[in-house]
Amino acid sequence: MKEDRQCIFCKIIAREIGSTILYEDNDIIAFNDIAPKAPVHVIIIPKQHIERINDITAETALLVGRLILVAKTLAEKLEIAESGYRLVFNCNQNAGQAVFHIHLHLLGGRLLHWPPG
Ligand code: 5GP
Ligand code: ZN
């Protein structure tokens, strides 16, 4: 598994930084965001260090699709599937990407405004 020793999310995968892990399998891990923007704010990531959505390929697209499947399952478990939720990938500066290891935000538990700021 490719990893980046400097990457915060690779450190979470390696348990070098603590987090509340809600889901894990061989390829994917999901944990609560440290600074939640909604009552439910989960970060879902591949264990493979891919820096940004611009870098995904036909080979990694299936893995990205599986992130969405995990998000859907967690939304059901966390009881926001019916009320609704938002899935977000931020890519690069204008979207405010702060951690350069692709991650899917699962946000819910309150009314989310549209368009986002
Ligand atoms: P981005 O802005 O890159 O799309 O989102 C990065 C997210 O990672 C932010 O919502 C931020 O709160 C979260 N985050 C940053 N550092 C940590 C950390 O050490 N632990 C956890 N659990 N979340 C983090
Ligand atoms: Zn990483």
Side-chain angles (χ1 to χ4, degrees):
M1 193 76 64
K2 256 193 280 170
E3 65 173 309
D4 176 339
R5 303 288 306 164
Q6 307 304 314
C7 169
I8 289 171
F9 287 174
C10 283
K11 288 181 180 178
I12 286 176
I13 295 163
R15 306 308 203 264
E16 288 166 20
I17 292 177
S19 69
T20 302
I21 294 167
L22 303 184
Y23 175 85
E24 183 168 20
D25 65 28
N26 283 340
D27 306 312
I28 292 171
I29 191 165
F31 50 88
N32 280 329
D33 195 289
I34 201 168
K37 312 301 186 292
V40 173
H41 188 173
V42 182
I43 298 289
I44 303 147
I45 65 172
K47 291 185 175 176
Q48 186 177 340
H49 180 85
I50 301 167
E51 291 198 344
R52 47 179 74 72
I53 286 292
N54 286 346
D55 299 324
I56 66 170
T57 63
E59 283 72 42
T60 50
L62 193 63
L63 182 58
V64 174
R66 286 194 50 225
L67 299 179
I68 297 173
L69 190 59
V70 170
K72 178 211 118 169
T73 305
L74 283 173
E76 285 165 358
K77 267 196 192 138
L78 297 169
E79 299 184 329
I80 57 168
E82 289 308 314
S83 55
Y85 55 90
R86 186 168 293 161
L87 302 180
V88 175
F89 285 106
N90 291 319
C91 182
N92 277 347
Q93 189 178 2
N94 273 5
Q97 185 177 2
V99 179
F100 286 84
H101 179 134
I102 58 169
H103 50 280
L104 180 58
H105 295 259
L106 166 62
L107 294 148
R110 67 168 171 83
L111 184 63
L112 301 166
H113 301 286
W114 189 262

